[in-house]
Amino acid sequence: MGDPWEGLAERAVDAGVAAGGEYVEVRVVRSQTLSLSVKNGRPEAVVTDDDEGLGVRVLMDGGWGFACTPRPEPEAVTGAALQAVEVARASRLLDGPAVRLAPQEPVRAAWANPVRRDPWEVPLEEMLALLAEATEAMLRVPGVRVAEGFMDFWRTAKRFRSSEGAAIDQLITESGGGIAAVAVHDGEVQRRSYPASFRGDFGTGGYELVEALDLAGHAQQTAEEAAALLLAPPCPTAVTTLILDGDQTALQIHESVGHAIEFDRILGTEAAYAGTSFITPGDIGSLRYGSEAMHIIADATLPGALGTFGFDDEGVPAQRVVIVECGVLRHVLTNRETALLLGQRSNGAARASSWNRIPLVRMTNVGLLPDSGTLEDLIADTDEGVLMCTNKSWSIDDRRLNFQFGCEIAWEIRRGRRGRLFKQPVYSGITPQFWASLDRVAGPAEFRARGTPNCGKGQPAQVAHTGHPAGPTRFRGVQVGSR
């Protein structure tokens, strides 16, 4: 069976230009998903989805128009193009500056991330057996009542065509999974997850990413920690030294840096779904964001990370951008529209969640640069403090300034050693002051790019997949406690 969309993207571009569009871009997207869940050794859900369609965005007289269709038919895509032109024409009736785009050389290319084992070729029986083995191992630990295992896979084929001559085809495969143990006693419930909470960890690649997690090999420790939390005291309230594991550091970066540096939020043009930013356009290049130990990059070229691609959804090549250098904000994330306001070219952060959504400025792989040492080195170098691991909850204001985050587990640190286990740990802070207290970052051996497959933004809502290179970090003078 041939490609039902063959030639239709080009037809939509031609129709948009003929109707008066000054710039026309078309995306044909097919998104396939496969999700598996196992609970207490038994399969609970196997869910598949296959969705495809075409979206047309038109710039005309400084106004945007967008329309889309799921029908791979000449009349349907022509109709979508003409509707997008009409919307663009109507957009100019609104107040506001005319939209202009930063220049971009049109690219003609194909890109796909490496995949060693195609998840859609792996027998379901093999995947379910792996999750069953892990959950059964967790369930054998006394006190554990619920043991869950998850795998999720996404395969996205994108075709981008524009009136400037761009012709880009991409195939992105993403995979990952995780396990969780829930211990219950006398009305109290405690949960531990591996390798991360909220269904696990993810990256670009195939089933080999799941195999590398060794879910069954980490099942017993995960369950034992959940059971131990039932007997642990709450994390004491104090202002102290805080060490975060790589998973929680990734969440800290995502919420207090990643969203704050999206330039549409900074401009106030994208305020839906919890968001503007405490950063102002005048801060770019000079704002003291954190200590000199803070070096943040946004790297869409990072192999294996969840925010990796060949080209963004405006046809701009993936890039590595320095965001914070020695604690000073150097750049922010832009698309072609917002980059022009800075007199720059886009740094390739325009992404849409599907064919029926417009591209927004989104995180790619926003993370810290590693320094030296291991998590154990950070602990050994700390006289008194708390180690917190694995995100459990997050709360941060619309400007990405005041926050409180909770973790699944914590340990007391005294005289360079781990001490008592604490449950329900939380910490709070104000973004620039918190990052100013960063005094150590672990080395490359502790670093990997954690994947976040549930980043929400926009209205109507869009869910993006982002990556966050991170490892253990240490902060001084942080308010901690429990909830």
Side-chain angles (χ1 to χ4, degrees):
M1 183 177 175
D3 177 4
W5 296 97
E6 182 68 36
L8 295 181
E10 292 80 359
R11 182 187 183 96
V13 170
D14 292 343
V17 171
E22 296 159 5
Y23 168 76
V24 180
E25 64 181 26
V26 175
R27 291 178 300 108
V28 176
V29 181
R30 180 184 182 190
S31 302
Q32 297 171 276
T33 60
L34 170 60
S35 297
L36 299 87
S37 301
V38 169
K39 185 176 182 179
N40 294 346
R42 295 183 177 180
E44 187 165 67
V46 176
V47 180
T48 63
D49 190 33
D50 194 338
D51 178 58
E52 61 183 345
L54 175 148
V56 188
R57 193 166 67 150
V58 172
L59 185 60
M60 184 175 181
D61 296 331
W64 279 121
F66 177 77
C68 56
T69 178
R71 295 164 51 198
E73 302 163 3
E75 295 78 10
V77 301
T78 298
L82 297 180
Q83 185 178 12
V85 170
E86 289 304 309
V87 174
R89 184 176 287 117
S91 296
R92 288 308 300 138
L93 300 177
L94 302 174
D95 290 334
V99 174
R100 296 287 180 264
L101 300 181
Q104 176 63 45
E105 291 76 19
V107 176
R108 304 180 72 84
W111 185 91
N113 62 278
V115 174
R116 291 201 294 274
R117 288 196 74 187
D118 183 349
W120 276 263
E121 297 297 326
V122 178
L124 285 177
E125 294 80 4
E126 178 182 337
M127 294 191 273
L128 291 170
L130 189 157
L131 293 178
E133 179 186 0
T135 57
E136 288 167 355
M138 290 190 288
L139 210 54
R140 287 193 289 271
V141 173
V144 172
R145 300 287 182 83
V146 178
E148 298 173 299
F150 315 97
M151 292 183 194
D152 293 286
F153 307 97
W154 301 272
R155 182 164 58 199
T156 307
K158 296 183 178 184
R159 179 178 305 164
F160 179 86
R161 302 289 186 269
S162 80
S163 57
E164 294 175 337
I168 300 168
D169 295 294
Q170 297 189 82
L171 181 62
I172 301 173
T173 303
E174 301 159 310
S175 304
I179 55 175
V182 178
V184 181
H185 177 69
D186 198 21
E188 181 172 346
V189 178
Q190 292 293 336
R191 182 184 183 94
R192 277 295 283 145
S193 308
Y194 169 83
S197 50
F198 307 106
R199 296 183 72 89
D201 194 19
F202 303 89
T204 48
Y207 188 69
E208 66 274 7
L209 298 184
V210 173
E211 294 175 312
L213 294 173
D214 188 17
L215 299 178
H218 289 83
Q220 183 163 339
Q221 180 181 348
T222 302
E224 289 176 347
E225 289 180 353
L229 283 169
L230 293 172
L231 303 176
C235 182
T237 299
V239 175
T240 189
T241 296
L242 173 65
I243 296 177
L244 301 178
D245 73 340
D247 179 63
Q248 182 58 29
T249 298
L251 187 280
Q252 182 72 50
I253 295 168
H254 181 98
E255 299 294 349
S256 67
V257 181
H259 278 307
I261 60 171
E262 294 167 339
F263 197 34
D264 54 351
R265 288 180 185 264
I266 293 170
L267 293 169
T269 56
E270 175 50 63
Y273 216 140
T276 53
S277 175
F278 70 94
I279 299 170
T280 69
D283 290 334
I284 301 170
S286 61
L287 175 70
R288 170 58 67 179
Y289 211 114
S291 72
E292 293 199 350
M294 183 185 189
H295 302 272
I296 297 281
I297 48 92
D299 189 356
T301 71
L302 192 63
L306 193 62
T308 295
F309 48 80
F311 302 86
D312 77 353
D313 287 325
E314 291 182 336
V316 178
Q319 298 170 38
R320 184 180 190 274
V321 182
V322 174
I323 301 295
V324 176
E325 183 180 40
C326 297
V328 177
L329 179 67
R330 296 302 186 193
H331 297 97
V332 295
L333 298 173
T334 61
N335 58 9
R336 292 185 64 183
E337 179 180 343
T338 57
L340 193 66
L341 302 177
L342 295 172
Q344 300 174 358
R345 295 200 169 202
S346 168
N347 54 36
R351 303 170 71 193
S353 63
S354 184
W355 54 271
N356 56 8
R357 296 287 187 270
I358 61 171
L360 302 174
V361 178
R362 304 304 298 259
M363 282 177 257
T364 55
N365 299 304
V366 179
L368 274 170
L369 291 180
D371 190 1
S372 62
T374 65
L375 172 61
E376 297 308 315
D377 292 334
L378 266 61
I379 294 171
D381 185 45
T382 302
D383 186 56
E384 184 174 342
V386 175
L387 165 65
M388 296 191 189
C389 301
T390 314
N391 179 256
K392 186 177 182 179
S393 65
W394 63 93
S395 176
I396 187 166
D397 68 33
D398 287 1
R399 299 177 63 211
R400 304 284 148 176
L401 201 55
N402 297 279
F403 63 82
Q404 182 186 79
F405 298 141
C407 293
E408 289 186 349
I409 195 168
W411 284 267
E412 178 185 47
I413 300 173
R414 291 184 67 84
R415 300 183 181 86
R417 296 174 181 270
R418 292 196 198 202
R420 294 177 295 166
L421 193 68
F422 294 140
K423 64 184 176 184
Q424 300 167 342
V426 299
Y427 67 97
S428 60
I430 300 173
T431 294
Q433 290 90 327
F434 181 77
W435 283 104
S437 72
L438 174 71
D439 79 335
R440 279 201 67 174
V441 178
E446 297 273 5
F447 264 64
R448 63 182 174 82
R450 273 82 176 174
T452 300
N454 57 348
C455 175
K457 183 177 178 180
Q459 198 173 47
Q462 298 194 38
V463 176
H465 295 181
T466 65
H468 302 288
T473 45
R474 187 174 69 182
F475 300 84
R476 300 290 194 180
V478 179
Q479 178 69 59
V480 305
S482 64
R483 69 171 178 84

mmCIF file with all atom_site columns, all heavy atoms in Angstrom, residues 332-354:
data_model
loop_
_atom_site.group_PDB
_atom_site.id
_atom_site.type_symbol
_atom_site.label_atom_id
_atom_site.label_alt_id
_atom_site.label_comp_id
_atom_site.label_asym_id
_atom_site.label_entity_id
_atom_site.label_seq_id
_atom_site.pdbx_PDB_ins_code
_atom_site.Cartn_x
_atom_site.Cartn_y
_atom_site.Cartn_z
_atom_site.occupancy
_atom_site.B_iso_or_equiv
_atom_site.pdbx_formal_charge
_atom_site.auth_seq_id
_atom_site.auth_comp_id
_atom_site.auth_asym_id
_atom_site.auth_atom_id
_atom_site.pdbx_PDB_model_num
ATOM 1   N N   . VAL A 1 332 ? 18.157 32.473 25.240 1.00 0.00 ? 332 VAL A N   1
ATOM 2   C CA  . VAL A 1 332 ? 16.871 31.846 25.559 1.00 0.00 ? 332 VAL A CA  1
ATOM 3   C C   . VAL A 1 332 ? 16.436 31.027 24.353 1.00 0.00 ? 332 VAL A C   1
ATOM 4   O O   . VAL A 1 332 ? 17.042 31.099 23.277 1.00 0.00 ? 332 VAL A O   1
ATOM 5   C CB  . VAL A 1 332 ? 15.816 32.906 25.918 1.00 0.00 ? 332 VAL A CB  1
ATOM 6   C CG1 . VAL A 1 332 ? 16.200 33.634 27.193 1.00 0.00 ? 332 VAL A CG1 1
ATOM 7   C CG2 . VAL A 1 332 ? 15.609 33.888 24.762 1.00 0.00 ? 332 VAL A CG2 1
ATOM 8   N N   . LEU A 1 333 ? 15.369 30.230 24.513 1.00 0.00 ? 333 LEU A N   1
ATOM 9   C CA  . LEU A 1 333 ? 14.881 29.389 23.427 1.00 0.00 ? 333 LEU A CA  1
ATOM 10  C C   . LEU A 1 333 ? 13.971 30.193 22.506 1.00 0.00 ? 333 LEU A C   1
ATOM 11  O O   . LEU A 1 333 ? 13.066 30.886 22.969 1.00 0.00 ? 333 LEU A O   1
ATOM 12  C CB  . LEU A 1 333 ? 14.114 28.198 24.005 1.00 0.00 ? 333 LEU A CB  1
ATOM 13  C CG  . LEU A 1 333 ? 14.927 27.246 24.887 1.00 0.00 ? 333 LEU A CG  1
ATOM 14  C CD1 . LEU A 1 333 ? 14.020 26.208 25.536 1.00 0.00 ? 333 LEU A CD1 1
ATOM 15  C CD2 . LEU A 1 333 ? 16.022 26.570 24.083 1.00 0.00 ? 333 LEU A CD2 1
ATOM 16  N N   . THR A 1 334 ? 14.203 30.067 21.195 1.00 0.00 ? 334 THR A N   1
ATOM 17  C CA  . THR A 1 334 ? 13.457 30.891 20.238 1.00 0.00 ? 334 THR A CA  1
ATOM 18  C C   . THR A 1 334 ? 12.950 30.058 19.060 1.00 0.00 ? 334 THR A C   1
ATOM 19  O O   . THR A 1 334 ? 13.468 28.976 18.772 1.00 0.00 ? 334 THR A O   1
ATOM 20  C CB  . THR A 1 334 ? 14.339 32.021 19.675 1.00 0.00 ? 334 THR A CB  1
ATOM 21  O OG1 . THR A 1 334 ? 15.470 31.443 18.990 1.00 0.00 ? 334 THR A OG1 1
ATOM 22  C CG2 . THR A 1 334 ? 14.842 32.932 20.771 1.00 0.00 ? 334 THR A CG2 1
ATOM 23  N N   . ASN A 1 335 ? 11.960 30.634 18.383 1.00 0.00 ? 335 ASN A N   1
ATOM 24  C CA  . ASN A 1 335 ? 11.561 30.152 17.058 1.00 0.00 ? 335 ASN A CA  1
ATOM 25  C C   . ASN A 1 335 ? 11.863 31.275 16.065 1.00 0.00 ? 335 ASN A C   1
ATOM 26  O O   . ASN A 1 335 ? 12.480 32.287 16.418 1.00 0.00 ? 335 ASN A O   1
ATOM 27  C CB  . ASN A 1 335 ? 10.082 29.754 17.051 1.00 0.00 ? 335 ASN A CB  1
ATOM 28  C CG  . ASN A 1 335 ? 9.166  30.911 17.463 1.00 0.00 ? 335 ASN A CG  1
ATOM 29  O OD1 . ASN A 1 335 ? 9.607  32.054 17.594 1.00 0.00 ? 335 ASN A OD1 1
ATOM 30  N ND2 . ASN A 1 335 ? 7.891  30.610 17.664 1.00 0.00 ? 335 ASN A ND2 1
ATOM 31  N N   . ARG A 1 336 ? 11.418 31.120 14.821 1.00 0.00 ? 336 ARG A N   1
ATOM 32  C CA  . ARG A 1 336 ? 11.753 32.129 13.807 1.00 0.00 ? 336 ARG A CA  1
ATOM 33  C C   . ARG A 1 336 ? 11.079 33.461 14.104 1.00 0.00 ? 336 ARG A C   1
ATOM 34  O O   . ARG A 1 336 ? 11.638 34.517 13.823 1.00 0.00 ? 336 ARG A O   1
ATOM 35  C CB  . ARG A 1 336 ? 11.353 31.620 12.423 1.00 0.00 ? 336 ARG A CB  1
ATOM 36  C CG  . ARG A 1 336 ? 12.170 30.442 11.931 1.00 0.00 ? 336 ARG A CG  1
ATOM 37  C CD  . ARG A 1 336 ? 11.810 30.059 10.499 1.00 0.00 ? 336 ARG A CD  1
ATOM 38  N NE  . ARG A 1 336 ? 12.138 31.129 9.553  1.00 0.00 ? 336 ARG A NE  1
ATOM 39  C CZ  . ARG A 1 336 ? 11.865 31.071 8.257  1.00 0.00 ? 336 ARG A CZ  1
ATOM 40  N NH1 . ARG A 1 336 ? 11.251 30.000 7.762  1.00 0.00 ? 336 ARG A NH1 1
ATOM 41  N NH2 . ARG A 1 336 ? 12.200 32.069 7.456  1.00 0.00 ? 336 ARG A NH2 1
ATOM 42  N N   . GLU A 1 337 ? 9.881  33.415 14.669 1.00 0.00 ? 337 GLU A N   1
ATOM 43  C CA  . GLU A 1 337 ? 9.140  34.653 14.944 1.00 0.00 ? 337 GLU A CA  1
ATOM 44  C C   . GLU A 1 337 ? 9.775  35.427 16.088 1.00 0.00 ? 337 GLU A C   1
ATOM 45  O O   . GLU A 1 337 ? 10.004 36.635 15.991 1.00 0.00 ? 337 GLU A O   1
ATOM 46  C CB  . GLU A 1 337 ? 7.688  34.312 15.267 1.00 0.00 ? 337 GLU A CB  1
ATOM 47  C CG  . GLU A 1 337 ? 6.834  35.527 15.594 1.00 0.00 ? 337 GLU A CG  1
ATOM 48  C CD  . GLU A 1 337 ? 5.399  35.139 15.920 1.00 0.00 ? 337 GLU A CD  1
ATOM 49  O OE1 . GLU A 1 337 ? 5.004  34.004 15.578 1.00 0.00 ? 337 GLU A OE1 1
ATOM 50  O OE2 . GLU A 1 337 ? 4.686  35.969 16.508 1.00 0.00 ? 337 GLU A OE2 1
ATOM 51  N N   . THR A 1 338 ? 10.080 34.738 17.184 1.00 0.00 ? 338 THR A N   1
ATOM 52  C CA  . THR A 1 338 ? 10.598 35.450 18.362 1.00 0.00 ? 338 THR A CA  1
ATOM 53  C C   . THR A 1 338 ? 12.081 35.800 18.203 1.00 0.00 ? 338 THR A C   1
ATOM 54  O O   . THR A 1 338 ? 12.539 36.814 18.740 1.00 0.00 ? 338 THR A O   1
ATOM 55  C CB  . THR A 1 338 ? 10.408 34.605 19.626 1.00 0.00 ? 338 THR A CB  1
ATOM 56  O OG1 . THR A 1 338 ? 11.061 33.336 19.471 1.00 0.00 ? 338 THR A OG1 1
ATOM 57  C CG2 . THR A 1 338 ? 8.933  34.380 19.910 1.00 0.00 ? 338 THR A CG2 1
ATOM 58  N N   . ALA A 1 339 ? 12.836 34.976 17.467 1.00 0.00 ? 339 ALA A N   1
ATOM 59  C CA  . ALA A 1 339 ? 14.270 35.252 17.313 1.00 0.00 ? 339 ALA A CA  1
ATOM 60  C C   . ALA A 1 339 ? 14.506 36.594 16.635 1.00 0.00 ? 339 ALA A C   1
ATOM 61  O O   . ALA A 1 339 ? 15.458 37.315 16.958 1.00 0.00 ? 339 ALA A O   1
ATOM 62  C CB  . ALA A 1 339 ? 14.929 34.134 16.509 1.00 0.00 ? 339 ALA A CB  1
ATOM 63  N N   . LEU A 1 340 ? 13.619 36.943 15.692 1.00 0.00 ? 340 LEU A N   1
ATOM 64  C CA  . LEU A 1 340 ? 13.804 38.202 14.956 1.00 0.00 ? 340 LEU A CA  1
ATOM 65  C C   . LEU A 1 340 ? 13.717 39.396 15.898 1.00 0.00 ? 340 LEU A C   1
ATOM 66  O O   . LEU A 1 340 ? 14.367 40.421 15.675 1.00 0.00 ? 340 LEU A O   1
ATOM 67  C CB  . LEU A 1 340 ? 12.750 38.322 13.855 1.00 0.00 ? 340 LEU A CB  1
ATOM 68  C CG  . LEU A 1 340 ? 13.010 39.431 12.822 1.00 0.00 ? 340 LEU A CG  1
ATOM 69  C CD1 . LEU A 1 340 ? 14.263 39.106 12.008 1.00 0.00 ? 340 LEU A CD1 1
ATOM 70  C CD2 . LEU A 1 340 ? 11.809 39.607 11.898 1.00 0.00 ? 340 LEU A CD2 1
ATOM 71  N N   . LEU A 1 341 ? 12.954 39.274 16.968 1.00 0.00 ? 341 LEU A N   1
ATOM 72  C CA  . LEU A 1 341 ? 12.833 40.380 17.933 1.00 0.00 ? 341 LEU A CA  1
ATOM 73  C C   . LEU A 1 341 ? 14.144 40.620 18.655 1.00 0.00 ? 341 LEU A C   1
ATOM 74  O O   . LEU A 1 341 ? 14.370 41.697 19.221 1.00 0.00 ? 341 LEU A O   1
ATOM 75  C CB  . LEU A 1 341 ? 11.723 40.060 18.947 1.00 0.00 ? 341 LEU A CB  1
ATOM 76  C CG  . LEU A 1 341 ? 10.333 39.815 18.347 1.00 0.00 ? 341 LEU A CG  1
ATOM 77  C CD1 . LEU A 1 341 ? 9.343  39.438 19.441 1.00 0.00 ? 341 LEU A CD1 1
ATOM 78  C CD2 . LEU A 1 341 ? 9.857  41.046 17.584 1.00 0.00 ? 341 LEU A CD2 1
ATOM 79  N N   . LEU A 1 342 ? 15.023 39.605 18.696 1.00 0.00 ? 342 LEU A N   1
ATOM 80  C CA  . LEU A 1 342 ? 16.343 39.738 19.316 1.00 0.00 ? 342 LEU A CA  1
ATOM 81  C C   . LEU A 1 342 ? 17.417 40.040 18.275 1.00 0.00 ? 342 LEU A C   1
ATOM 82  O O   . LEU A 1 342 ? 18.602 40.138 18.614 1.00 0.00 ? 342 LEU A O   1
ATOM 83  C CB  . LEU A 1 342 ? 16.719 38.439 20.054 1.00 0.00 ? 342 LEU A CB  1
ATOM 84  C CG  . LEU A 1 342 ? 15.852 38.075 21.259 1.00 0.00 ? 342 LEU A CG  1
ATOM 85  C CD1 . LEU A 1 342 ? 16.209 36.679 21.754 1.00 0.00 ? 342 LEU A CD1 1
ATOM 86  C CD2 . LEU A 1 342 ? 16.031 39.099 22.375 1.00 0.00 ? 342 LEU A CD2 1
ATOM 87  N N   . GLY A 1 343 ? 16.982 40.155 17.003 1.00 0.00 ? 343 GLY A N   1
ATOM 88  C CA  . GLY A 1 343 ? 17.953 40.377 15.945 1.00 0.00 ? 343 GLY A CA  1
ATOM 89  C C   . GLY A 1 343 ? 18.798 39.146 15.685 1.00 0.00 ? 343 GLY A C   1
ATOM 90  O O   . GLY A 1 343 ? 19.939 39.248 15.229 1.00 0.00 ? 343 GLY A O   1
ATOM 91  N N   . GLN A 1 344 ? 18.222 37.976 15.957 1.00 0.00 ? 344 GLN A N   1
ATOM 92  C CA  . GLN A 1 344 ? 18.968 36.730 15.807 1.00 0.00 ? 344 GLN A CA  1
ATOM 93  C C   . GLN A 1 344 ? 18.227 35.798 14.857 1.00 0.00 ? 344 GLN A C   1
ATOM 94  O O   . GLN A 1 344 ? 17.111 36.056 14.434 1.00 0.00 ? 344 GLN A O   1
ATOM 95  C CB  . GLN A 1 344 ? 19.127 36.048 17.180 1.00 0.00 ? 344 GLN A CB  1
ATOM 96  C CG  . GLN A 1 344 ? 19.856 36.891 18.197 1.00 0.00 ? 344 GLN A CG  1
ATOM 97  C CD  . GLN A 1 344 ? 19.853 36.238 19.573 1.00 0.00 ? 344 GLN A CD  1
ATOM 98  O OE1 . GLN A 1 344 ? 19.273 35.171 19.776 1.00 0.00 ? 344 GLN A OE1 1
ATOM 99  N NE2 . GLN A 1 344 ? 20.497 36.900 20.527 1.00 0.00 ? 344 GLN A NE2 1
ATOM 100 N N   . ARG A 1 345 ? 18.879 34.668 14.591 1.00 0.00 ? 345 ARG A N   1
ATOM 101 C CA  . ARG A 1 345 ? 18.225 33.574 13.897 1.00 0.00 ? 345 ARG A CA  1
ATOM 102 C C   . ARG A 1 345 ? 17.651 32.610 14.918 1.00 0.00 ? 345 ARG A C   1
ATOM 103 O O   . ARG A 1 345 ? 18.126 32.542 16.056 1.00 0.00 ? 345 ARG A O   1
ATOM 104 C CB  . ARG A 1 345 ? 19.200 32.859 12.972 1.00 0.00 ? 345 ARG A CB  1
ATOM 105 C CG  . ARG A 1 345 ? 19.697 33.746 11.833 1.00 0.00 ? 345 ARG A CG  1
ATOM 106 C CD  . ARG A 1 345 ? 20.242 32.931 10.706 1.00 0.00 ? 345 ARG A CD  1
ATOM 107 N NE  . ARG A 1 345 ? 20.465 33.754 9.517  1.00 0.00 ? 345 ARG A NE  1
ATOM 108 C CZ  . ARG A 1 345 ? 20.530 33.272 8.290  1.00 0.00 ? 345 ARG A CZ  1
ATOM 109 N NH1 . ARG A 1 345 ? 20.394 31.967 8.096  1.00 0.00 ? 345 ARG A NH1 1
ATOM 110 N NH2 . ARG A 1 345 ? 20.735 34.067 7.263  1.00 0.00 ? 345 ARG A NH2 1
ATOM 111 N N   . SER A 1 346 ? 16.637 31.840 14.518 1.00 0.00 ? 346 SER A N   1
ATOM 112 C CA  . SER A 1 346 ? 16.043 30.867 15.424 1.00 0.00 ? 346 SER A CA  1
ATOM 113 C C   . SER A 1 346 ? 17.077 29.850 15.877 1.00 0.00 ? 346 SER A C   1
ATOM 114 O O   . SER A 1 346 ? 17.924 29.411 15.090 1.00 0.00 ? 346 SER A O   1
ATOM 115 C CB  . SER A 1 346 ? 14.898 30.136 14.707 1.00 0.00 ? 346 SER A CB  1
ATOM 116 O OG  . SER A 1 346 ? 14.486 29.010 15.457 1.00 0.00 ? 346 SER A OG  1
ATOM 117 N N   . ASN A 1 347 ? 17.006 29.467 17.170 1.00 0.00 ? 347 ASN A N   1
ATOM 118 C CA  . ASN A 1 347 ? 17.881 28.388 17.626 1.00 0.00 ? 347 ASN A CA  1
ATOM 119 C C   . ASN A 1 347 ? 17.150 27.045 17.646 1.00 0.00 ? 347 ASN A C   1
ATOM 120 O O   . ASN A 1 347 ? 17.578 26.099 18.311 1.00 0.00 ? 347 ASN A O   1
ATOM 121 C CB  . ASN A 1 347 ? 18.549 28.709 18.959 1.00 0.00 ? 347 ASN A CB  1
ATOM 122 C CG  . ASN A 1 347 ? 17.558 29.099 20.046 1.00 0.00 ? 347 ASN A CG  1
ATOM 123 O OD1 . ASN A 1 347 ? 16.455 28.573 20.121 1.00 0.00 ? 347 ASN A OD1 1
ATOM 124 N ND2 . ASN A 1 347 ? 17.964 30.036 20.910 1.00 0.00 ? 347 ASN A ND2 1
ATOM 125 N N   . GLY A 1 348 ? 16.047 26.946 16.886 1.00 0.00 ? 348 GLY A N   1
ATOM 126 C CA  . GLY A 1 348 ? 15.462 25.635 16.606 1.00 0.00 ? 348 GLY A CA  1
ATOM 127 C C   . GLY A 1 348 ? 14.656 25.029 17.719 1.00 0.00 ? 348 GLY A C   1
ATOM 128 O O   . GLY A 1 348 ? 14.775 23.841 17.985 1.00 0.00 ? 348 GLY A O   1
ATOM 129 N N   . ALA A 1 349 ? 13.778 25.820 18.347 1.00 0.00 ? 349 ALA A N   1
ATOM 130 C CA  . ALA A 1 349 ? 12.982 25.313 19.463 1.00 0.00 ? 349 ALA A CA  1
ATOM 131 C C   . ALA A 1 349 ? 11.488 25.328 19.165 1.00 0.00 ? 349 ALA A C   1
ATOM 132 O O   . ALA A 1 349 ? 10.682 25.266 20.085 1.00 0.00 ? 349 ALA A O   1
ATOM 133 C CB  . ALA A 1 349 ? 13.269 26.117 20.724 1.00 0.00 ? 349 ALA A CB  1
ATOM 134 N N   . ALA A 1 350 ? 11.102 25.416 17.882 1.00 0.00 ? 350 ALA A N   1
ATOM 135 C CA  . ALA A 1 350 ? 9.676  25.409 17.522 1.00 0.00 ? 350 ALA A CA  1
ATOM 136 C C   . ALA A 1 350 ? 9.218  23.959 17.367 1.00 0.00 ? 350 ALA A C   1
ATOM 137 O O   . ALA A 1 350 ? 9.727  23.233 16.521 1.00 0.00 ? 350 ALA A O   1
ATOM 138 C CB  . ALA A 1 350 ? 9.454  26.168 16.220 1.00 0.00 ? 350 ALA A CB  1
ATOM 139 N N   . ARG A 1 351 ? 8.240  23.578 18.197 1.00 0.00 ? 351 ARG A N   1
ATOM 140 C CA  . ARG A 1 351 ? 7.785  22.187 18.142 1.00 0.00 ? 351 ARG A CA  1
ATOM 141 C C   . ARG A 1 351 ? 6.272  22.125 18.344 1.00 0.00 ? 351 ARG A C   1
ATOM 142 O O   . ARG A 1 351 ? 5.704  22.850 19.161 1.00 0.00 ? 351 ARG A O   1
ATOM 143 C CB  . ARG A 1 351 ? 8.489  21.356 19.218 1.00 0.00 ? 351 ARG A CB  1
ATOM 144 C CG  . ARG A 1 351 ? 10.009 21.411 19.107 1.00 0.00 ? 351 ARG A CG  1
ATOM 145 C CD  . ARG A 1 351 ? 10.672 20.785 20.310 1.00 0.00 ? 351 ARG A CD  1
ATOM 146 N NE  . ARG A 1 351 ? 10.507 19.347 20.332 1.00 0.00 ? 351 ARG A NE  1
ATOM 147 C CZ  . ARG A 1 351 ? 10.785 18.600 21.401 1.00 0.00 ? 351 ARG A CZ  1
ATOM 148 N NH1 . ARG A 1 351 ? 11.215 19.152 22.506 1.00 0.00 ? 351 ARG A NH1 1
ATOM 149 N NH2 . ARG A 1 351 ? 10.620 17.296 21.348 1.00 0.00 ? 351 ARG A NH2 1
ATOM 150 N N   . ALA A 1 352 ? 5.639  21.246 17.594 1.00 0.00 ? 352 ALA A N   1
ATOM 151 C CA  . ALA A 1 352 ? 4.195  21.002 17.716 1.00 0.00 ? 352 ALA A CA  1
ATOM 152 C C   . ALA A 1 352 ? 3.996  19.555 18.134 1.00 0.00 ? 352 ALA A C   1
ATOM 153 O O   . ALA A 1 352 ? 4.729  18.668 17.715 1.00 0.00 ? 352 ALA A O   1
ATOM 154 C CB  . ALA A 1 352 ? 3.494  21.278 16.396 1.00 0.00 ? 352 ALA A CB  1
ATOM 155 N N   . SER A 1 353 ? 2.962  19.307 18.942 1.00 0.00 ? 353 SER A N   1
ATOM 156 C CA  . SER A 1 353 ? 2.750  17.957 19.452 1.00 0.00 ? 353 SER A CA  1
ATOM 157 C C   . SER A 1 353 ? 2.093  17.045 18.422 1.00 0.00 ? 353 SER A C   1
ATOM 158 O O   . SER A 1 353 ? 2.146  15.825 18.566 1.00 0.00 ? 353 SER A O   1
ATOM 159 C CB  . SER A 1 353 ? 1.888  17.994 20.711 1.00 0.00 ? 353 SER A CB  1
ATOM 160 O OG  . SER A 1 353 ? 0.595  18.516 20.419 1.00 0.00 ? 353 SER A OG  1
ATOM 161 N N   . SER A 1 354 ? 1.477  17.636 17.385 1.00 0.00 ? 354 SER A N   1
ATOM 162 C CA  . SER A 1 354 ? 0.782  16.809 16.408 1.00 0.00 ? 354 SER A CA  1
ATOM 163 C C   . SER A 1 354 ? 0.523  17.627 15.146 1.00 0.00 ? 354 SER A C   1
ATOM 164 O O   . SER A 1 354 ? 0.853  18.809 15.068 1.00 0.00 ? 354 SER A O   1
ATOM 165 C CB  . SER A 1 354 ? -0.543 16.294 17.000 1.00 0.00 ? 354 SER A CB  1
ATOM 166 O OG  . SER A 1 354 ? -1.185 15.409 16.109 1.00 0.00 ? 354 SER A OG  1
#
